Amino acid sequence: MDYTVKNNIEKYIRENLKESRLKHTYGVAKIAVELSELYGSSVEKAEIAALCHDMFKNISIEAANELVKKYELNESVYLDNLNLSHSKLAEIAARERFGIDDRDILNAISYHTTGRFGMSTLEKIIFVADGIEYGRNYPGIDEIRKKAFENLDEACLMLLEHTRDYLVSQGVSCHEDSLKGIEYFNKLLNRRNNG
Ligand SMILES: [Fe+2]
Ligand SMILES: [Fe+2]
């Protein structure tokens, strides 16, 4: 991996993220590296994706909305919704600003919030690392953390279901990529259990 790229990303996040978000980002990178080693995936790619994943999480909603319009993202989904737009904007910046052209890294950044159907190993690693880094705390996290180091697919499914249930409890609809992800992992795991 090009160290200049990594240095540029680190400089950017140090200048643009709040202390707590920066800590979370490095927490995600740490777990992502551990999971990559365990599952035989590229540590370098995981590190880059983790460092990028939340780089737009601390921008103002006005700035995010401007970028959503500039890059013609679906406004009905991403306007006034930093929770969803920050992943798509980070993917665009990773490509345009930092010159990352590896599709797997870009997808891992882009789908880190929702997950999706047919996730790659790197996508799963970033998604799960984001959900279980050591600074996070919510009911059920210990079980998901443990599962992450035993079965990555099951950990993804647990996290996706956790997110869906949380959103439903808040009266917010769950993104269709997450719902398709739940369906995907359910099928995948049932098939494996049955076969
Ligand atoms: Fe995020
Ligand atoms: Fe995150």
Side-chain angles (χ1 to χ4, degrees):
M1 183 52 68
D2 183 345
Y3 279 98
T4 325
V5 172
K6 193 180 161 200
N7 286 342
N8 289 343
I9 296 166
E10 290 197 275
K11 185 173 185 292
Y12 181 84
I13 61 174
R14 276 199 304 270
E15 287 170 359
N16 288 279
L17 292 183
K18 290 177 187 161
E19 196 54 42
S20 57
R21 184 58 50 182
L22 197 60
K23 209 174 156 204
H24 161 74
T25 297
Y26 280 102
V28 173
K30 185 175 182 289
I31 301 265
V33 165
E34 290 173 19
L35 291 174
S36 299
E37 284 168 349
L38 179 65
Y39 292 109
S41 187
S42 164
V43 167
E44 289 79 11
K45 287 188 188 191
E47 234 187 335
I48 293 292
L51 292 173
C52 287
H53 89 285
D54 272 350
M55 64 184 168
F56 279 91
K57 191 78 188 205
N58 289 145
I59 64 171
S60 69
I61 192 67
E62 292 79 16
N65 285 346
E66 250 175 58
L67 291 169
V68 165
K69 286 179 187 160
K70 179 179 172 193
Y71 290 106
E72 298 178 343
L73 300 181
N74 183 345
E75 291 190 19
S76 67
V77 178
Y78 298 108
L79 211 59
D80 290 323
N81 193 339
L82 191 58
N83 275 336
L84 287 178
S85 67
H86 80 277
S87 358
K88 303 300 167 193
L89 296 176
E91 182 216 333
I92 293 167
R95 204 163 8 99
E96 294 199 348
R97 188 179 186 120
F98 299 108
I100 295 166
D101 57 7
D102 183 294
R103 198 58 249 173
D104 203 16
I105 296 179
L106 295 173
N107 286 339
I109 298 167
S110 184
Y111 294 100
H112 84 262
T113 309
T114 58
R116 65 164 173 160
F117 176 93
M119 296 168 83
S120 73
T121 302
L122 179 63
E123 287 175 51
K124 291 177 202 170
I125 285 172
I126 297 301
F127 180 71
V128 168
D130 190 28
I132 63 160
E133 61 95 1
Y134 294 113
R136 288 232 198 248
N137 195 9
Y138 52 84
I141 191 169
D142 289 341
E143 209 189 326
I144 302 177
R145 248 181 213 142
K146 188 165 174 276
K147 191 56 81 183
F149 290 89
E150 295 167 356
N151 186 320
L152 196 55
D153 292 324
E154 277 185 41
C156 281
L157 180 57
M158 287 165 86
L159 262 174
L160 282 165
E161 288 179 333
H162 174 89
T163 305
R164 177 200 57 196
D165 295 347
Y166 173 75
L167 289 171
V168 168
S169 78
Q170 299 297 303
V172 179
S173 64
C174 186
H175 193 280
E176 65 166 335
D177 282 341
S178 303
L179 297 175
K180 284 180 184 165
I182 289 173
E183 218 175 289
Y184 169 74
F185 284 109
N186 263 322
K187 271 192 192 151
L188 189 76
L189 292 161
N190 283 337
R191 207 161 45 222
R192 272 190 195 157
N193 290 342
N194 295 339

